[in-house]
Amino acid sequence: MELDYQVEEALTKVFYGETLVSQLRALSIDQPILFLTNQRYYDLFADKINPLFANQANNDWYICANTQCNHLTELKNLLDFTKRYPENQSMFVIGFGNEGIMDLAGFFQKHTILDSSLWLIPVSIRSLSRALTPQRMILQLPNRVVLQTINMPERIVYDQTISERQVDGKQIDFLTFICCGMICDHRFLQNLYKNYPNKKQLTTRPFAGMIEEVIYFYQLEAENLSNYGKLFEQAFYLTENGHLLSASMKKFLGMMFHFVWNLQAYPFDFQLKNFFVWLDLLGYPIQWLEQISKMEYLEKVLFLAEKSKKILVLEKIGIIDGYQRPNEKELLRTMTVFQQIVSEIRGN
């Protein structure tokens, strides 16, 4: 399948529905290629990909760790690596890997002096969503954005068979679908609830049928989808013992606190407790980690709210109302409601 994906003036071709090897085999690339990838995908695919090109000696692989890799140290190392190329070198930069690779490749290709084109090969739904988002960010670890640019690739190649093999990652990927439903389409969220009622269905039922809708949602609301819950997520990085939560748990809880805050500050009709019950059945960590101070966390949210842009407010599921800043009263109410619902579900 091939789709045209347009964000403002940038037009990207998105290919999906075939394996990566079959899609690359159909291409004829004469220029040298620099693959930026994670160790995991180099180990799994380098031996399969290199023979697809007539002149394998023209292929270079820059290998990052399997963790977050769009940070200043990695960017510096990549710049040192590419000093081997002549300044007039014409080449393809292909980012093949996780979300960090999407950002690192996009930022590097935009600002390198090399004459280059950019392709992205995401390996999961979450890295596909990052590939579809124009902003490319470089971090000072753990989570502070220090460099940012806008860059869309000429081509995105998505092989869903890669992500479907990653059973543990499907739960994290599913957050992308939930967020799309909340912000863009009530019917889509209802279908998620119907088709993925529990963790067993989530881990065994494929996502392939929803790829085209996700691409459409990101074309409409890429910035809102990528930023939803971000303020509440970032506050965990500033809170003592926040490191006890994985990055994906911070992302999940950030999204949930944003949504609960919305319903307290700007209420609309929604079965919030049933929503929590569903998320619990899917295996998400709805329980608050007791080693993290609730009040300190709320203080960090308020601190970030006062210095950041206003955040998204939904009028109802699938309909955006506008943007506002959370205040102290709303945040206290948010934490109370969150804890009350979790206690009722847990029977405490």
Side-chain angles (χ1 to χ4, degrees), residues 231-246:
L231 177 76
F232 294 88
E233 175 189 347
Q234 288 176 329
F236 283 112
Y237 286 94
L238 302 179
T239 304
E240 187 176 2
N241 292 330
H243 67 278
L244 297 175
L245 296 171
S246 67

Side-chain angles (χ1 to χ4, degrees), residues 124-155:
S124 62
I125 297 297
R126 54 194 183 277
S127 59
L128 172 62
S129 67
R130 188 71 68 87
L132 293 168
T133 304
Q135 290 82 11
R136 307 294 166 204
M137 296 176 288
I138 300 296
L139 308 177
Q140 182 174 353
L141 293 177
N143 199 46
R144 186 164 72 90
V145 177
V146 289
L147 297 172
Q148 184 167 308
T149 195
I150 301 294
N151 193 20
M152 286 299 293
E154 292 181 7
R155 180 183 295 244

Side-chain angles (χ1 to χ4, degrees), residues 189-208:
L189 186 62
Q190 288 175 320
N191 285 339
L192 293 178
Y193 181 80
K194 176 182 176 181
N195 294 323
Y196 301 89
N198 52 53
K199 190 172 183 179
K200 181 179 179 181
Q201 293 296 325
L202 176 59
T203 55
T204 58
R205 182 167 288 176
F207 297 156

Side-chain angles (χ1 to χ4, degrees), residues 313-341:
V313 175
L314 297 173
E315 179 182 328
K316 57 183 179 180
I317 297 297
I319 299 179
I320 294 171
D321 182 43
Y323 304 86
Q324 294 294 335
R325 282 191 178 89
N327 61 45
E328 183 177 3
K329 183 178 179 180
E330 293 164 355
L331 292 174
L332 289 170
R333 178 64 181 161
T334 297
M335 181 62 78
T336 299
V337 170
F338 187 96
Q339 287 297 103
Q340 181 180 352
I341 291 175

